[in-house]
Amino acid sequence: MTRTVAVVIHPGFQVLDATGPATAFEIAERFCPGSYRLRWLAPEAGEVVSSSQVRVRAESLDDGPFDTILVSGGEIVRSPSAVWELIGWLTQVRARRIASVCSGAFLLAEAGLLDGRRATTHWGACDSFRRRYPRVQLDAECIFVRDGNIWTSAGISAGIDLALALIEDDLGEALTRRTAQQLVVHHRRPGGQSQFSALVALGGRSGRFAELIQWVRAHLSEPLTVECLAERAAMSPRHFARCFMAETGVTPAKAVERLRLEVARNAVETGYASFERIAEEAGFRDPGRMRRAFLRAFELPPQVLRRSARHQRG
């Protein structure tokens, strides 16, 4: 069965939002001929100019039939008339599943497709999204979210993770693994993996806590309570917790756990140290606690991640 995938773009679209997932489907089709047919659609047929001035030729929006519709994000306000035409189309078109990448979630939300559903979008747009669409259950931590037949993903490269999840849903794990290997990306970054790691590492939106984050990275094996971090930042615990949350979108405790998870996951996947040693050095204290943190964040235990990394290295 050939599944028609409509990659929907618009003036100001982000190139990787569209081409990343499209390439994943292309590679899957190469390994399983007849599985996918790509169509590039836009509110107006012809060359569509991206945010980086790359031009992609697309057909005009039509009624399909489509198996999957994937809506790109980008500068969605560049052409209001095109955006409103696209939103109107989304309210009427039918497909087995509809997905968005990055700020493409705004278009799905505006069309009412996300009302009462869980969804995600780029971390930098989460505050605005919450204000505009209070009926959507925004899960800002995830790199992608599936709620029924609607899929949404976080910023840019997360669209590739989303596409791989869609391919696995269609064609199974083995072919998806081959596709990921061809793309030279992780076979499985679970949807529950946090997209806040980069923001936390930068010290927040303004970089206010950058020095503190560097200090935390160097002291992960120590107890890192809110009181300890607040003292280091020369702030009261309550004021510190409030400011840190505003800057990074996560609590200090969650940020510490994310930093510990990054260090531990890297050690698990690239090294050969025992889980006991990794847990101690990353500040989890024991393998059991580290395993529970991995399951919460990645939906996989350390043992599986280590085996998968070794398998991908050959």
Side-chain angles (χ1 to χ4, degrees):
M1 179 182 68
T2 300
R3 303 165 181 83
T4 300
V5 179
V7 181
V8 182
I9 56 178
H10 48 81
F13 76 98
Q14 163 57 240
V15 171
L16 191 57
D17 281 4
T19 58
T23 302
F25 286 115
E26 173 203 344
I27 299 300
E29 160 68 21
R30 189 182 305 173
F31 290 136
C32 184
S35 55
Y36 294 110
R37 172 183 175 236
L38 287 172
R39 291 186 61 195
W40 291 79
L41 304 183
E44 185 175 340
E47 288 189 346
V48 184
V49 183
S50 72
S51 59
S52 60
Q53 303 305 305
V54 171
R55 298 170 183 267
V56 174
R57 184 170 293 278
E59 307 171 64
S60 60
L61 300 170
D62 62 44
D63 295 333
F66 305 111
D67 174 84
T68 302
I69 294 171
L70 191 143
V71 181
S72 168
E75 298 175 1
I76 60 177
V77 297
R78 179 175 291 191
S79 174
S81 61
V83 165
W84 283 113
E85 182 176 347
L86 174 52
I87 291 168
W89 178 78
L90 285 169
T91 63
Q92 301 176 14
V93 71
R94 295 292 178 264
R96 180 170 66 94
R97 59 192 178 190
I98 299 178
S100 66
V101 181
C102 198
S103 56
F106 281 76
L107 302 176
L108 268 57
E110 196 65 43
L113 299 179
L114 300 182
D115 286 354
R117 295 180 183 266
R118 289 180 61 243
T120 193
T121 189
H122 190 283
W123 60 261
C126 286
D127 291 343
S128 173
F129 191 97
R130 283 195 182 93
R131 288 194 299 270
R132 294 185 62 173
Y133 308 109
R135 298 181 64 183
V136 181
Q137 301 169 31
L138 188 68
D139 190 339
E141 288 251 359
C142 295
I143 58 173
F144 68 83
V145 169
R146 177 185 186 177
D147 190 325
N149 68 328
I150 304 294
W151 302 60
T152 52
S153 68
I156 308 179
S157 65
I160 297 175
D161 299 289
L162 171 65
L164 289 172
L166 294 170
I167 292 166
E168 183 167 341
D169 197 52
D170 293 338
L171 305 176
E173 180 180 356
L175 187 136
T176 307
R177 186 184 298 278
R178 292 182 65 194
T179 302
Q181 289 172 337
Q182 186 70 20
L183 291 167
V184 197
V185 298
H186 282 288
H187 162 226
R188 188 194 300 272
R189 279 203 305 170
Q193 182 169 330
S194 174
Q195 60 165 313
F196 278 102
S197 297
L199 182 60
V200 170
L202 292 172
R205 291 178 171 84
S206 69
R208 177 179 183 179
F209 295 110
E211 184 177 342
L212 176 65
I213 294 301
Q214 291 179 6
W215 181 84
V216 170
R217 283 186 177 278
H219 297 80
L220 286 176
S221 62
E222 301 176 12
L224 296 171
T225 63
V226 172
E227 290 74 18
C228 170
L229 299 182
E231 182 179 357
R232 183 76 188 179
M235 301 168 70
S236 71
R238 179 174 296 182
H239 183 53
F240 167 73
R242 184 166 55 248
C243 291
F244 192 91
M245 181 73 177
E247 280 285 309
T248 66
V250 295
T251 65
K254 179 68 73 172
V256 169
E257 181 175 81
R258 291 298 180 191
L259 293 170
R260 284 176 168 152
L261 282 165
E262 284 184 6
V263 169
R265 179 168 184 167
N266 183 65
V268 164
E269 293 185 333
T270 63
Y272 296 90
S274 68
F275 293 138
E276 289 80 4
R277 180 177 175 183
I278 293 172
E280 182 179 349
E281 292 182 351
F284 288 110
R285 291 188 289 180
D286 64 75
R289 185 168 303 199
M290 183 174 76
R291 185 179 189 278
R292 290 190 292 274
F294 269 57
L295 289 172
R296 286 194 302 272
F298 311 128
E299 301 173 6
L300 295 170
Q303 294 86 341
V304 172
L305 288 171
R306 173 164 283 181
R307 286 197 300 268
S308 177
R310 287 176 176 174
H311 178 78
Q312 291 193 35
R313 291 197 299 268

